[in-house]
Amino acid sequence: MSALLPYLPGQAATWARRDDEGQEPVTLDLPGWTMTVQGTEAGGPPNLRCWSFERGNACVRMTRHWDQPLSPGHPMVVASRRVVRTGAGTLELSTTRVFEGQETRVDVAFIQGADWLVRIVFENCDAATVDAAMGRLSVRE
């Protein structure tokens, strides 16, 4: 596990309020997939919320950080990139050779707003599944 970077008590209160008010900047609606949500109650950083969508062996994981991640994360090596259409426009999708410090192939996209960052990771998803899922992505301004 990476070290947790320092944050101020006022930041944690702001993040908790935003969670309580349901101000999610990005939503992903995947009918037919099983969704689970984890928030700060799982013991993670106070600005993090995670969604997992599973269907068969395919998995889509979306993580949202208020402001920036409190952990520097692990290395990622990109093998290729392509542009995909979303419900909110277009976005760059990277296919990795190394992800979170492990040699593995996933597709990953990052979306950043003024005070949030979202990462969407596709594991065991073919291109058609990725494209269909990204088409159901909404970004709130």
Side-chain angles (χ1 to χ4, degrees), residues 6-8 10-20 45-48 64-68 70 115:
Y7 58 91
L8 300 172
Q11 286 177 290
T14 298
W15 299 329
R17 185 181 70 251
R18 291 174 76 190
D19 281 343
D20 292 344
N47 67 333
L48 176 67
R64 183 268 301 136
H65 297 270
W66 294 127
D67 297 322
Q68 293 293 316
L70 296 178
D115 55 2

Side-chain angles (χ1 to χ4, degrees), residues 78-140:
V78 174
S80 63
R81 291 184 169 89
R82 69 181 177 102
V83 174
V84 293
R85 292 188 185 274
T86 72
T90 59
L91 193 59
E92 183 176 84
L93 183 79
S94 299
T95 301
T96 66
R97 284 190 305 115
V98 174
F99 186 71
E100 293 184 347
Q102 303 294 316
E103 283 194 42
T104 188
R105 183 201 172 281
V106 300
D107 293 310
V108 61
F110 296 90
I111 310 165
Q112 187 162 6
D115 55 2
W116 53 267
L117 176 72
V118 169
R119 179 182 81 174
I120 304 171
V121 179
F122 296 89
E123 299 174 38
N124 300 317
C125 296
D126 60 23
T129 300
V130 171
D131 291 347
M134 291 302 278
R136 302 192 61 83
L137 182 79
S138 298
V139 179
R140 191 172 89 185

Side-chain angles (χ1 to χ4, degrees), residues 46-79:
N47 67 333
L48 176 67
R49 180 162 285 168
C50 304
W51 293 260
S52 291
F53 301 87
E54 295 183 6
R55 185 175 69 186
N57 71 339
C59 183
V60 179
R61 298 190 201 292
M62 184 170 79
T63 56
R64 183 268 301 136
H65 297 270
W66 294 127
D67 297 322
Q68 293 293 316
L70 296 178
S71 169
H74 300 282
M76 179 175 96
V77 177
V78 174

